[in-house]
Coordinates of all heavy atoms in Angstrom, one line a residue:
M1 N 105.0 116.0 93.3 CA 104.5 116.7 92.2 C 103.9 118.0 92.6 O 104.1 119.0 92.0 CB 103.5 115.8 91.5 CG 102.7 116.5 90.4 SD 101.4 115.4 89.7 CE 100.4 115.1 91.1
F2 N 103.1 118.0 93.7 CA 102.4 119.2 94.1 C 103.3 120.2 94.7 O 103.0 121.4 94.7 CB 101.2 118.9 95.0 CG 100.1 118.1 94.4 CD1 99.9 116.8 94.7 CD2 99.3 118.7 93.4 CE1 98.9 116.0 94.1 CE2 98.3 118.0 92.8 CZ 98.1 116.6 93.1
C3 N 104.5 119.8 95.1 CA 105.5 120.7 95.6 C 106.5 121.2 94.5 O 107.3 122.0 94.8 CB 106.3 120.0 96.7 SG 105.3 119.6 98.2
G4 N 106.3 120.6 93.3 CA 107.2 121.0 92.2 C 108.5 120.3 92.2 O 109.5 120.8 91.6
V5 N 108.7 119.2 92.9 CA 110.0 118.6 93.0 C 110.1 117.3 92.1 O 111.1 116.7 91.9 CB 110.4 118.2 94.4 CG1 110.6 119.5 95.3 CG2 109.4 117.3 95.1
T6 N 108.9 116.9 91.5 CA 108.9 115.7 90.7 C 108.9 116.1 89.2 O 108.2 117.0 88.8 CB 107.6 114.9 90.9 OG1 107.6 114.6 92.3 CG2 107.6 113.7 90.1
E7 N 109.7 115.4 88.4 CA 109.7 115.7 87.0 C 108.8 114.6 86.4 O 108.6 113.6 86.9 CB 111.1 115.5 86.4 CG 112.0 116.7 86.9 CD 113.4 116.6 86.2 OE1 113.4 116.0 85.1 OE2 114.3 117.1 86.7
G8 N 108.2 115.0 85.2 CA 107.3 114.0 84.5 C 106.0 114.0 85.1 O 105.6 114.8 86.0
L9 N 105.1 113.2 84.6 CA 103.7 113.1 85.0 C 103.5 111.8 85.7 O 103.4 110.7 85.1 CB 102.8 113.2 83.7 CG 101.3 113.0 83.9 CD1 100.8 114.2 84.8 CD2 100.6 113.0 82.6
P10 N 103.3 111.8 87.0 CA 103.0 110.6 87.8 C 101.5 110.2 87.4 O 100.6 111.0 87.3 CB 103.0 111.0 89.2 CG 103.5 112.4 89.3 CD 103.4 113.0 87.9
L11 N 101.4 108.9 87.2 CA 100.0 108.4 86.8 C 99.6 107.3 87.8 O 100.4 106.4 88.1 CB 100.1 107.8 85.4 CG 100.3 108.7 84.3 CD1 100.6 108.0 83.0 CD2 99.1 109.6 84.1
E12 N 98.4 107.4 88.3 CA 97.8 106.3 89.0 C 97.0 105.5 88.1 O 96.9 105.8 86.9 CB 97.1 106.8 90.3 CG 96.3 108.0 90.1 CD 95.0 107.7 89.3 OE1 94.1 107.0 89.8 OE2 95.0 108.1 88.2
S13 N 96.3 104.5 88.5 CA 95.7 103.5 87.6 C 94.6 104.1 86.7 O 94.4 103.8 85.6 CB 95.0 102.3 88.4 OG 94.1 102.8 89.3
N14 N 93.8 105.1 87.3 CA 92.8 105.7 86.5 C 93.4 106.5 85.3 O 92.9 106.4 84.1 CB 91.9 106.7 87.3 CG 91.1 105.9 88.3 OD1 90.2 105.2 88.0 ND2 91.5 106.0 89.6
G15 N 94.4 107.3 85.6 CA 95.0 108.1 84.5 C 95.7 107.2 83.5 O 95.6 107.5 82.3
L16 N 96.3 106.2 84.0 CA 97.0 105.3 83.0 C 95.9 104.6 82.1 O 96.2 104.5 80.9 CB 97.7 104.2 83.8 CG 98.6 103.3 83.0 CD1 99.8 104.1 82.4 CD2 99.1 102.1 83.9
R17 N 94.8 104.2 82.7 CA 93.8 103.6 81.9 C 93.2 104.5 80.8 O 93.1 104.2 79.6 CB 92.6 103.1 82.7 CG 91.5 102.4 82.0 CD 90.4 101.9 82.9 NE 89.8 102.9 83.7 CZ 90.0 103.1 85.0 NH1 90.8 102.3 85.6 NH2 89.4 104.0 85.7
V18 N 93.0 105.8 81.2 CA 92.5 106.8 80.2 C 93.5 106.9 79.1 O 93.1 106.9 77.9 CB 92.3 108.1 80.9 CG1 92.0 109.2 79.9 CG2 91.1 108.0 81.9
L19 N 94.8 107.1 79.4 CA 95.7 107.3 78.3 C 95.9 106.1 77.4 O 96.0 106.2 76.2 CB 97.1 107.7 78.9 CG 97.1 109.1 79.5 CD1 98.4 109.3 80.3 CD2 96.9 110.1 78.4
T20 N 95.8 104.9 78.0 CA 95.9 103.7 77.1 C 94.7 103.6 76.2 O 94.8 103.2 75.0 CB 96.1 102.4 77.9 OG1 95.1 102.2 78.8 CG2 97.5 102.4 78.6
R21 N 93.5 103.9 76.8 CA 92.3 103.8 75.9 C 92.3 104.8 74.8 O 91.9 104.5 73.7 CB 91.1 104.0 76.8 CG 90.8 102.7 77.6 CD 89.5 102.9 78.5 NE 89.1 101.6 79.1 CZ 88.2 101.5 80.0 NH1 87.6 102.6 80.4 NH2 87.9 100.4 80.5
I22 N 92.8 106.0 75.1 CA 92.9 107.0 74.1 C 93.8 106.6 73.0 O 93.6 106.9 71.8 CB 93.3 108.4 74.7 CG1 92.1 108.9 75.5 CG2 93.6 109.4 73.6 CD1 92.4 110.1 76.3
G23 N 94.8 105.8 73.3 CA 95.7 105.3 72.3 C 97.2 105.6 72.6 O 98.0 105.4 71.7
H24 N 97.6 105.9 73.8 CA 99.0 106.2 74.1 C 99.5 104.9 74.8 O 98.9 104.3 75.7 CB 99.1 107.3 75.1 CG 98.7 108.6 74.5 ND1 99.4 109.2 73.5 CD2 97.6 109.4 74.8 CE1 98.8 110.4 73.2 NE2 97.7 110.5 74.0
G25 N 100.7 104.5 74.3 CA 101.3 103.3 74.9 C 100.6 102.0 74.5 O 99.8 102.0 73.6
R26 N 101.0 101.0 75.2 CA 100.5 99.6 74.9 C 99.8 99.0 76.1 O 100.5 98.8 77.1 CB 101.6 98.8 74.3 CG 102.1 99.3 73.0 CD 103.5 98.8 72.6 NE 103.5 97.3 72.6 CZ 104.6 96.7 72.7 NH1 105.8 97.3 72.8 NH2 104.6 95.3 72.7
A27 N 98.5 98.8 76.0 CA 97.7 98.4 77.2 C 97.9 96.9 77.5 O 97.6 96.4 78.6 CB 96.3 98.7 77.0
H28 N 98.3 96.1 76.5 CA 98.3 94.6 76.7 C 99.7 94.0 76.8 O 100.0 93.0 76.3 CB 97.5 94.0 75.5 CG 96.1 94.5 75.4 ND1 95.2 94.3 76.3 CD2 95.6 95.3 74.4 CE1 94.0 94.9 76.0 NE2 94.3 95.5 74.8
L29 N 100.5 94.7 77.6 CA 101.9 94.1 77.8 C 101.8 93.2 79.1 O 100.7 93.2 79.7 CB 102.9 95.3 78.1 CG 103.1 96.1 76.8 CD1 104.0 97.3 77.2 CD2 103.7 95.3 75.7
K30 N 102.8 92.5 79.4 CA 102.8 91.5 80.4 C 102.6 92.0 81.8 O 102.0 91.4 82.7 CB 104.1 90.7 80.4 CG 104.1 89.6 79.4 CD 105.2 88.6 79.6 CE 106.6 89.1 79.4 NZ 107.6 88.1 79.4
S31 N 103.1 93.2 82.1 CA 103.0 93.7 83.5 C 102.6 95.1 83.5 O 102.7 95.9 82.5 CB 104.4 93.6 84.1 OG 105.3 94.5 83.5
Y32 N 102.0 95.5 84.7 CA 101.6 96.9 84.9 C 102.8 97.9 84.6 O 102.6 98.9 84.0 CB 101.0 97.1 86.3 CG 100.4 98.4 86.6 CD1 99.1 98.7 86.3 CD2 101.2 99.4 87.2 CE1 98.5 99.9 86.6 CE2 100.6 100.6 87.5 CZ 99.3 100.9 87.2 OH 98.8 102.1 87.4
S33 N 103.9 97.5 85.1 CA 105.1 98.4 85.0 C 105.5 98.6 83.5 O 105.9 99.7 83.1 CB 106.2 98.0 85.9 OG 106.7 96.7 85.4
A34 N 105.3 97.5 82.7 CA 105.7 97.6 81.3 C 104.7 98.6 80.6 O 105.0 99.4 79.8 CB 105.7 96.3 80.7
V35 N 103.4 98.4 81.0 CA 102.4 99.3 80.4 C 102.7 100.8 80.8 O 102.6 101.7 80.0 CB 100.9 98.9 80.9 CG1 99.9 99.9 80.4 CG2 100.6 97.5 80.4
Y36 N 103.0 100.9 82.1 CA 103.3 102.3 82.6 C 104.5 102.9 81.8 O 104.4 104.1 81.4 CB 103.7 102.1 84.1 CG 103.7 103.4 84.9 CD1 102.6 103.9 85.5 CD2 104.9 104.2 85.0 CE1 102.6 105.1 86.3 CE2 104.9 105.4 85.7 CZ 103.8 105.8 86.3 OH 103.8 107.0 87.0
R37 N 105.5 102.2 81.6 CA 106.7 102.7 80.9 C 106.3 103.0 79.5 O 106.7 104.0 78.9 CB 107.8 101.7 80.9 CG 108.7 101.7 82.1 CD 110.0 101.0 81.9 NE 109.8 99.6 81.5 CZ 109.6 98.6 82.3 NH1 109.5 98.7 83.6 NH2 109.4 97.4 81.8
S38 N 105.5 102.2 78.8 CA 105.1 102.4 77.4 C 104.3 103.7 77.3 O 104.5 104.4 76.3 CB 104.4 101.2 76.8 OG 103.0 101.2 77.2
V39 N 103.4 103.9 78.3 CA 102.6 105.2 78.2 C 103.5 106.4 78.4 O 103.4 107.4 77.7 CB 101.5 105.1 79.3 CG1 100.9 106.5 79.4 CG2 100.5 104.1 78.9
H40 N 104.4 106.3 79.4 CA 105.3 107.4 79.6 C 106.2 107.7 78.4 O 106.4 108.9 78.1 CB 106.2 107.2 80.9 CG 105.6 107.7 82.1 ND1 105.7 109.0 82.5 CD2 104.8 107.1 83.0 CE1 105.0 109.2 83.6 NE2 104.4 108.1 83.9
E41 N 106.7 106.7 77.7 CA 107.5 107.0 76.5 C 106.6 107.6 75.5 O 107.1 108.5 74.8 CB 108.0 105.6 76.0 CG 109.1 105.1 76.9 CD 109.5 103.7 76.5 OE1 109.1 103.1 75.5 OE2 110.3 103.1 77.3
A42 N 105.4 107.2 75.4 CA 104.5 107.7 74.3 C 104.1 109.2 74.6 O 104.0 110.0 73.6 CB 103.2 106.9 74.2
I43 N 103.9 109.6 75.8 CA 103.4 110.9 76.1 C 104.5 111.9 76.4 O 104.3 113.1 76.4 CB 102.4 110.9 77.3 CG1 103.1 110.5 78.6 CG2 101.2 110.1 77.0 CD1 102.3 110.7 79.8
A44 N 105.8 111.5 76.5 CA 106.9 112.3 76.9 C 107.0 113.6 76.0 O 107.1 114.7 76.5 CB 108.2 111.6 76.9
P45 N 106.9 113.5 74.7 CA 107.0 114.7 73.9 C 105.8 115.7 74.0 O 106.0 116.8 73.6 CB 107.0 114.1 72.4 CG 107.3 112.7 72.5 CD 106.7 112.3 73.9
Q46 N 104.7 115.2 74.6 CA 103.5 116.1 74.7 C 103.3 116.6 76.1 O 102.3 117.3 76.3 CB 102.3 115.3 74.3 CG 102.4 114.7 72.8 CD 101.2 113.8 72.5 OE1 100.1 114.2 72.8 NE2 101.5 112.6 72.1
L47 N 104.2 116.3 77.0 CA 103.9 116.7 78.4 C 104.0 118.2 78.6 O 104.9 118.9 78.0 CB 105.0 116.1 79.3 CG 104.7 114.6 79.7 CD1 105.8 114.2 80.7 CD2 103.3 114.4 80.3
P48 N 103.1 118.8 79.4 CA 103.2 120.2 79.6 C 104.5 120.5 80.5 O 105.0 119.6 81.2 CB 101.9 120.6 80.4 CG 101.5 119.3 81.0 CD 102.0 118.2 80.1
K49 N 104.9 121.8 80.5 CA 106.0 122.2 81.3 C 105.5 122.8 82.6 O 104.5 123.4 82.7 CB 106.9 123.2 80.6 CG 107.4 122.7 79.3 CD 108.7 121.9 79.5 CE 109.3 121.5 78.1 NZ 109.5 120.1 77.9
G50 N 106.3 122.5 83.7 CA 105.9 123.2 85.0 C 105.1 122.3 85.9 O 104.2 121.6 85.4
A51 N 105.4 122.4 87.2 CA 104.7 121.6 88.2 C 103.2 121.8 88.2 O 102.4 120.9 88.3 CB 105.3 121.8 89.5
E52 N 102.8 123.0 88.0 CA 101.3 123.4 88.1 C 100.6 122.7 86.9 O 99.5 122.1 87.2 CB 101.1 124.9 88.0 CG 99.7 125.3 88.4 CD 99.6 126.8 88.4 OE1 100.5 127.5 88.9 OE2 98.5 127.3 88.0
S53 N 101.1 122.7 85.8 CA 100.5 122.1 84.6 C 100.5 120.6 84.7 O 99.5 119.9 84.4 CB 101.2 122.5 83.3 OG 101.1 123.9 83.1
L54 N 101.6 120.0 85.2 CA 101.6 118.6 85.4 C 100.6 118.1 86.5 O 100.0 117.1 86.3 CB 103.0 118.2 85.8 CG 104.1 118.3 84.7 CD1 105.5 118.1 85.3 CD2 103.8 117.2 83.6
A55 N 100.5 118.9 87.6 CA 99.5 118.5 88.6 C 98.1 118.6 88.0 O 97.3 117.7 88.4 CB 99.7 119.5 89.8
R56 N 97.8 119.6 87.2 CA 96.5 119.7 86.6 C 96.2 118.5 85.7 O 95.1 117.9 85.7 CB 96.4 121.0 85.8 CG 95.8 122.2 86.5 CD 95.6 123.3 85.6 NE 94.4 123.1 84.8 CZ 94.3 123.7 83.6 NH1 95.2 124.4 83.1 NH2 93.2 123.5 82.9
A57 N 97.2 118.1 84.9 CA 97.0 117.0 84.0 C 96.8 115.7 84.8 O 95.9 114.9 84.5 CB 98.3 116.8 83.1
H58 N 97.5 115.5 85.9 CA 97.4 114.4 86.7 C 96.0 114.3 87.3 O 95.3 113.2 87.2 CB 98.4 114.4 87.9 CG 98.2 113.4 89.0 ND1 98.6 112.1 88.9 CD2 97.5 113.5 90.1 CE1 98.3 111.5 90.0 NE2 97.6 112.3 90.7
L59 N 95.5 115.4 87.9 CA 94.2 115.4 88.5 C 93.1 115.2 87.4 O 92.0 114.6 87.7 CB 94.0 116.7 89.3 CG 94.8 116.8 90.5 CD1 94.7 118.2 91.2 CD2 94.5 115.7 91.5
L60 N 93.2 115.9 86.3 CA 92.2 115.7 85.2 C 92.1 114.3 84.8 O 91.0 113.7 84.6 CB 92.6 116.6 84.1 CG 91.7 116.6 82.9 CD1 90.3 117.3 83.3 CD2 92.3 117.4 81.7
L61 N 93.2 113.6 84.5 CA 93.2 112.2 84.1 C 92.6 111.3 85.1 O 91.8 110.4 84.9 CB 94.6 111.8 83.7 CG 95.2 112.4 82.4 CD1 96.7 112.2 82.3 CD2 94.5 111.8 81.2
R62 N 93.0 111.6 86.4 CA 92.5 110.8 87.5 C 91.0 110.9 87.6 O 90.2 109.9 87.7 CB 93.2 111.2 88.8 CG 92.7 110.4 90.0 CD 93.6 110.8 91.2 NE 93.3 109.9 92.3 CZ 92.5 110.2 93.3 NH1 91.8 111.3 93.3 NH2 92.3 109.3 94.3
T63 N 90.5 112.1 87.6 CA 89.1 112.4 87.7 C 88.3 111.8 86.5 O 87.3 111.2 86.7 CB 88.8 113.9 87.8 OG1 89.5 114.4 89.0 CG2 87.3 114.2 88.0
H64 N 88.8 112.0 85.4 CA 88.2 111.4 84.2 C 88.1 109.9 84.3 O 87.0 109.3 84.0 CB 88.9 111.8 82.9 CG 88.3 111.5 81.6 ND1 87.1 112.0 81.3 CD2 88.6 110.6 80.7 CE1 86.7 111.5 80.1 NE2 87.6 110.6 79.7
G65 N 89.1 109.3 84.7 CA 89.1 107.8 84.8 C 88.2 107.3 85.9 O 87.6 106.2 85.8
K66 N 88.0 108.1 87.0 CA 87.1 107.7 88.1 C 85.7 107.9 87.8 O 84.8 107.3 88.4 CB 87.5 108.4 89.4 CG 88.8 108.0 90.0 CD 89.2 108.7 91.2 CE 88.3 108.1 92.4 NZ 88.8 108.6 93.7
T67 N 85.4 108.9 87.0 CA 84.0 109.3 86.8 C 83.4 108.9 85.4 O 82.2 108.5 85.4 CB 83.8 110.8 86.9 OG1 84.6 111.5 86.0 CG2 84.2 111.3 88.3
I68 N 84.1 109.0 84.3 CA 83.6 108.8 83.0 C 84.3 107.5 82.4 O 83.6 106.6 81.9 CB 83.7 110.0 82.1 CG1 82.9 111.1 82.7 CG2 83.3 109.7 80.7 CD1 83.0 112.5 81.9
C69 N 85.6 107.5 82.3 CA 86.3 106.4 81.7 C 86.6 105.3 82.7 O 87.7 105.0 83.0 CB 87.6 107.0 81.1 SG 88.4 105.8 80.0
R70 N 85.5 104.9 83.4 CA 85.7 103.9 84.4 C 86.2 102.5 83.9 O 86.0 102.2 82.7 CB 84.4 103.7 85.2 CG 83.9 105.0 85.8 CD 82.7 104.7 86.7 NE 81.6 104.2 85.9 CZ 80.4 104.9 85.8 NH1 80.2 106.0 86.4 NH2 79.4 104.3 85.1
D71 N 86.7 101.7 84.8 CA 87.3 100.4 84.4 C 86.2 99.6 83.7 O 86.4 99.0 82.6 CB 87.8 99.7 85.6 CG 88.6 98.5 85.3 OD1 89.1 98.4 84.1 OD2 88.7 97.6 86.1
T72 N 85.1 99.5 84.3 CA 83.9 98.8 83.7 C 82.9 99.8 83.3 O 82.7 100.8 84.0 CB 83.3 97.7 84.6 OG1 82.9 98.4 85.8 CG2 84.3 96.7 85.0
Q73 N 82.3 99.6 82.2 CA 81.2 100.4 81.7 C 81.6 101.9 81.6 O 81.0 102.8 82.2 CB 79.9 100.3 82.5 CG 79.4 98.9 82.5 CD 78.1 98.7 83.3 OE1 77.8 99.5 84.2 NE2 77.3 97.8 82.9
P74 N 82.6 102.2 80.8 CA 83.0 103.6 80.6 C 81.8 104.4 79.9 O 81.1 103.8 79.1 CB 84.2 103.6 79.7 CG 84.1 102.3 79.0 CD 83.5 101.3 80.0
Q75 N 81.6 105.6 80.4 CA 80.5 106.4 79.9 C 80.9 107.2 78.6 O 81.0 108.4 78.6 CB 80.0 107.3 81.0 CG 79.6 106.6 82.2 CD 78.5 105.6 82.0 OE1 77.4 106.0 81.6 NE2 78.7 104.4 82.3
C76 N 81.2 106.5 77.5 CA 81.8 107.1 76.4 C 80.9 108.2 75.8 O 81.3 109.2 75.2 CB 82.1 106.1 75.3 SG 83.4 104.9 75.9
H77 N 79.6 108.0 75.9 CA 78.6 109.0 75.3 C 78.7 110.4 76.0 O 78.3 111.4 75.5 CB 77.2 108.5 75.4 CG 76.7 108.2 76.8 ND1 77.1 107.0 77.5 CD2 75.9 108.9 77.6 CE1 76.6 107.1 78.7 NE2 75.8 108.2 78.8
E78 N 79.4 110.4 77.2 CA 79.5 111.7 78.0 C 81.0 112.2 77.8 O 81.3 113.3 78.4 CB 79.3 111.4 79.5 CG 77.9 111.0 79.8 CD 77.8 110.8 81.3 OE1 78.6 111.3 82.1 OE2 76.9 110.1 81.7
C79 N 81.8 111.5 77.1 CA 83.2 111.9 77.0 C 83.6 112.9 76.0 O 83.2 112.8 74.8 CB 84.0 110.6 76.8 SG 85.8 110.9 76.8
P80 N 84.3 113.9 76.4 CA 84.7 115.0 75.4 C 85.7 114.5 74.3 O 85.9 115.2 73.4 CB 85.2 116.1 76.3 CG 85.7 115.4 77.5 CD 84.8 114.2 77.7
V81 N 86.4 113.4 74.5 CA 87.3 112.9 73.5 C 86.9 111.7 72.8 O 87.7 111.0 72.2 CB 88.7 112.7 74.2 CG1 89.3 114.0 74.8 CG2 88.7 111.6 75.2
E82 N 85.6 111.4 72.9 CA 85.0 110.2 72.2 C 85.4 110.1 70.8 O 85.8 109.0 70.3 CB 83.5 110.2 72.4 CG 82.9 109.0 71.8 CD 81.3 109.1 71.9 OE1 80.8 110.1 72.3 OE2 80.7 108.0 71.6
D83 N 85.3 111.2 70.0 CA 85.6 111.1 68.6 C 87.0 110.6 68.3 O 87.3 110.0 67.2 CB 85.3 112.4 67.9 CG 83.8 112.7 67.9 OD1 83.0 111.8 68.1 OD2 83.5 113.9 67.6
G84 N 88.0 111.0 69.1 CA 89.4 110.6 68.9 C 89.9 109.5 69.7 O 91.1 109.2 69.7
C85 N 89.0 108.7 70.3 CA 89.5 107.7 71.3 C 89.6 106.3 70.5 O 88.7 105.9 69.9 CB 88.5 107.5 72.4 SG 88.9 106.2 73.5
A86 N 90.8 105.7 70.6 CA 91.0 104.4 70.0 C 90.1 103.3 70.5 O 89.6 102.5 69.8 CB 92.5 104.1 70.2
F87 N 89.9 103.3 71.9 CA 89.1 102.3 72.5 C 87.7 102.4 72.0 O 87.0 101.4 71.7 CB 89.1 102.5 74.0 CG 88.3 101.5 74.8 CD1 88.9 100.3 75.2 CD2 87.0 101.8 75.2 CE1 88.1 99.4 76.0 CE2 86.2 100.9 75.9 CZ 86.8 99.8 76.3
R88 N 87.2 103.6 71.9 CA 85.8 103.8 71.4 C 85.6 103.3 70.0 O 84.5 102.9 69.6 CB 85.4 105.3 71.5 CG 84.0 105.6 71.2 CD 83.1 104.9 72.1 NE 81.7 105.4 71.9 CZ 80.7 104.8 72.3 NH1 80.8 103.6 72.8 NH2 79.5 105.3 72.1
Q89 N 86.6 103.5 69.2 CA 86.5 103.1 67.8 C 86.4 101.5 67.6 O 85.7 101.1 66.7 CB 87.8 103.5 67.0 CG 88.1 104.9 67.1 CD 87.0 105.9 66.7 OE1 86.3 105.7 65.7 NE2 86.8 106.9 67.5
I90 N 86.9 100.8 68.6 CA 86.8 99.3 68.5 C 85.7 98.7 69.4 O 85.5 97.5 69.3 CB 88.2 98.6 68.8 CG1 88.6 99.0 70.2 CG2 89.2 99.0 67.8 CD1 89.8 98.2 70.7
S91 N 85.1 99.5 70.3 CA 84.1 98.9 71.2 C 82.7 99.2 70.7 O 82.5 99.9 69.8 CB 84.3 99.5 72.6 OG 84.1 100.9 72.6
Ligands
SF4_1 S1 85.6 107.6 74.8 FE1 85.2 106.1 76.4 S2 87.0 104.8 76.5 FE2 87.6 106.7 75.3 S3 88.5 108.1 76.9 FE3 86.3 108.6 76.7 S4 85.2 107.3 78.3 FE4 87.3 106.5 78.0

């Protein structure tokens, strides 16, 4: 991705969690790979173009998931997307 040879948006667990909580894809499927695929299908039309933008999106989602949208005790009161977050609406 950082060399510009990867297409699409690679997601690690933090970025994947952020996107499912916001409301992309389906978080409660049987396997991690099924959740991963569902998120990728959901975000495909909205992906930025170009390696630099994709790398920025990857790092932003990863950092957000590690610092604010943590696995346990997400800090929703500090989150800039709180108003539009599906997880926040039900928690
Ligand atoms: S509002 Fe909470 S659950 Fe939603 S993205 Fe922000 S930190 Fe995560």
Side-chain angles (χ1 to χ4, degrees):
M1 172 183 62
F2 293 110
C3 297
V5 295
T6 301
E7 290 186 24
L9 177 63
L11 293 169
E12 42 70 73
S13 61
N14 293 289
L16 188 67
R17 180 177 59 256
V18 170
L19 288 171
T20 57
R21 283 181 172 170
I22 290 172
H24 296 292
R26 295 163 53 200
H28 302 293
L29 295 175
K30 277 197 289 189
S31 68
Y32 185 87
S33 62
V35 173
Y36 194 92
R37 276 195 307 276
S38 78
V39 169
H40 268 276
E41 289 169 9
I43 65 173
Q46 302 173 51
L47 283 182
K49 301 281 186 231
E52 190 175 323
S53 296
L54 290 167
R56 266 187 74 211
H58 170 83
L59 292 173
L60 180 69
L61 287 164
R62 181 174 189 264
T63 300
H64 187 65
K66 288 181 77 169
T67 59
I68 297 176
C69 192
R70 296 188 300 241
D71 188 24
T72 58
Q73 298 182 337
Q75 304 298 301
C76 298
H77 60 283
E78 296 179 23
C79 182
V81 298
E82 180 180 10
D83 291 344
C85 178
F87 180 88
R88 183 61 169 161
Q89 307 306 315
I90 59 170
S91 62

